[in-house]
């Protein structure tokens, strides 16, 4: 297991520390772990993600589900935050997603444009902002510059910065793909190097891969891979995302291995809300049982 950093070790300014403390110790399990409900898929993938459970297309349904499920917060885009979060202000921490894109253009030169600011997040009462960084994309230079401004604003306004670190672009396809151990490990380190307070990554696929530096070109276990990714994030707290809907046992195992590795928490969306309400809450309860075993300070 890698080290799960405590809040006091992160060198945060007062605003960031206060907000992260509120998220990690005053909501959810209140034990220092994080369990976020992400709801930006309507922009990233389109309405197709709501076909499995049409009720989930309603932002109010999702916010209520997050409250009933005892989540630490919800991650949404500015349009939904301005129109729907207002009814629940103060009850559930808001992570305002500042950039995003549709899946309609190809991912070959992926860049996620900004459409919100850290000032918007302050105005809406958010406790963190989210930024998607496409590590390895040909548009990386523009992405880094965009992130630099967000990081500076977040620092100035005391707002924790959560970076969705996603390997993308044709170069990564030749190195095991966007979810390979090499790609995810590099993404975690990149977010940490660029000033993320929290990084969100996909769970790494540990399969043997070609065209990558030697340490990655051999078989590992999934536990060894996620251990390394947490280590690469260093003093940046790490969240593991859910991904597309999969079997519950596989998802619970992924959650357990992530927490065992030293992750701070989980950010699971489709696996939670692409099923009916009671089923969602049953699955959430099983995930909370896992988080309860890994308290942090
Ligand atoms: O921000 C969005 C998440 O990456 C999507 O979450 P999910 O993969 O668990 O649906």
């Amino acid at each position: 297991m890698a080290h799960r950093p405590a809040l006091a070790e992160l060198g945060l300014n007062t605003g960031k520390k206060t907000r992260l403390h509120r998220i990690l110790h005053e909501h959810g399990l209140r034990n220092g772990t994080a369990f976020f409900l992400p709801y930006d898929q309507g922009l990233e993938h389109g309405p197709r993600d709501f076909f499995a459970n049409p009720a989930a297309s309603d932002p109010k349904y999702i916010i209520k589900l997050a409250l009933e499920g005892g989540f630490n917060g919800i991650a949404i885009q500015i349009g939904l935050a301005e129109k729907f979060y207002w009814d629940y202000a103060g009850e559930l921490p808001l992570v305002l997603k500042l950039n995003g894109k549709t899946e309609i253009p190809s991912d070959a030169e992926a860049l996620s444009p900004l459409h919100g600011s850290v000032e918007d997040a302050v105005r809406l009462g958010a406790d963190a902002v989210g930024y998607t960084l496409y590590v390895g994309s040909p548009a990386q230079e523009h992405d880094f510059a965009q992130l630099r401004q967000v990081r500076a604003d977040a620092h100035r306004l005391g707002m924790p910065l959560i970076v969705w670190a996603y390997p993308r672009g044709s170069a990564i396809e030749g190195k095991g793909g966007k979810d390979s151990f090499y790609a995810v490990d590099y993404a975690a380190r990149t977010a940490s190097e660029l000033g993320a307070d929290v990084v969100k990554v996909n769970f790494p696929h540990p399969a043997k891969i070609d065209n990558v530096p030697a340490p990655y070109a051999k078989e590992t276990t999934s536990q060894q891979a996620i251990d390394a990714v947490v280590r690469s994030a260093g003093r940046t707290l790490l969240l593991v995302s859910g991904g597309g809907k999969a079997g519950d046992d596989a998802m619970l195992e992924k959650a357990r291995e992530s927490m065992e590795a030293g992750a701070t928490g989980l950010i699971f969306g489709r696996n939670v809300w692409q099923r009916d309400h009671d089923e969602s809450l049953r699955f959430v309860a099983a995930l909370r049982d896992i988080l309860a075993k890994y308290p942090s300070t």
Side-chain angles (χ1 to χ4, degrees):
M1 167 174 161
H3 176 61
R4 179 182 295 107
L7 258 190
E9 293 175 280
L10 305 183
L12 301 170
N13 65 28
T14 309
K16 286 191 179 202
K17 192 172 177 198
T18 301
R19 290 183 166 97
L20 270 183
H21 187 277
R22 195 178 298 144
I23 291 174
L24 298 174
H25 293 283
E26 296 172 27
H27 289 87
L29 285 159
R30 295 175 165 79
N31 68 348
T33 62
F35 187 24
F36 290 105
L37 191 62
Y39 188 60
D40 60 351
Q41 296 84 347
L43 172 65
E44 300 290 337
H45 310 147
R48 68 180 168 90
D49 273 359
F50 309 127
F51 290 178
N53 175 22
S57 68
D58 178 0
K60 284 198 168 186
Y61 171 89
I62 294 291
I63 297 175
K64 279 189 203 146
L65 188 64
L67 282 166
E68 290 167 335
F71 281 80
N72 293 73
I74 187 164
I76 51 178
Q77 299 283 359
I78 190 158
L80 303 189
E82 287 189 332
K83 294 196 171 66
F84 296 94
Y85 180 68
W86 190 85
D87 291 337
Y88 306 90
E91 293 179 58
L92 177 72
L94 167 66
V95 178
L96 186 68
K97 216 33 229 313
L98 299 185
N99 63 346
K101 65 168 194 56
T102 71
E103 67 171 15
I104 297 169
S106 124
D107 258 357
E109 298 198 19
L111 174 74
S112 193
L114 280 172
H115 40 65
S117 64
V118 184
E119 280 84 357
D120 288 321
V122 172
R123 173 174 56 81
L124 289 163
D127 280 312
V129 290
Y131 180 93
T132 295
L133 175 71
Y134 289 126
V135 178
S137 162
Q140 178 177 271
E141 190 178 335
H142 186 171
D143 214 346
F144 280 16
Q146 204 173 240
L147 175 59
R148 176 176 181 237
Q149 188 58 51
V150 170
R151 180 185 51 75
D153 291 345
H155 183 77
R156 180 170 51 86
L157 294 168
M159 184 65 70
L161 171 60
I162 306 180
V163 170
W164 274 226
Y166 290 161
R168 281 290 189 286
S170 49
I172 210 68
E173 291 314 319
K175 296 177 190 292
K178 60 189 172 58
D179 292 334
S180 70
F181 175 25
Y182 167 78
V184 174
D185 201 29
Y186 208 152
R189 180 75 194 199
T190 303
S192 175
E193 298 266 357
L194 298 186
D197 302 306
V198 183
V199 58
K200 164 186 188 290
V201 294
N202 287 329
F203 195 91
H205 287 180
K208 179 177 179 311
I209 41 180
D210 298 322
N211 305 321
V212 291
Y216 299 99
K218 59 176 198 269
E219 199 83 33
T220 58
T221 65
S222 52
Q223 187 67 68
Q224 287 167 330
I226 189 67
D227 283 354
V229 171
V230 172
R231 208 172 302 120
S232 295
R235 291 200 185 182
T236 296
L237 304 179
L238 188 121
L239 303 173
V240 173
S241 69
K245 185 91 164 37
D248 285 3
D249 288 347
M251 294 308 298
L252 294 173
E253 181 59 8
K254 179 157 126 173
R256 194 196 59 74
E257 288 186 343
S258 301
M259 297 310 294
E260 187 63 30
T264 291
L266 309 169
I267 174 160
F268 281 19
R270 288 166 287 175
N271 278 279
V272 170
W273 46 255
Q274 282 185 340
R275 54 175 102 207
D276 81 27
H277 176 265
D278 293 354
E279 272 297 307
S280 293
L281 291 181
R282 263 194 288 278
F283 181 59
V284 164
L287 289 167
R288 282 172 59 93
D289 285 347
I290 293 170
L291 291 168
K293 297 190 179 113
Y294 297 93
S296 183
T297 51

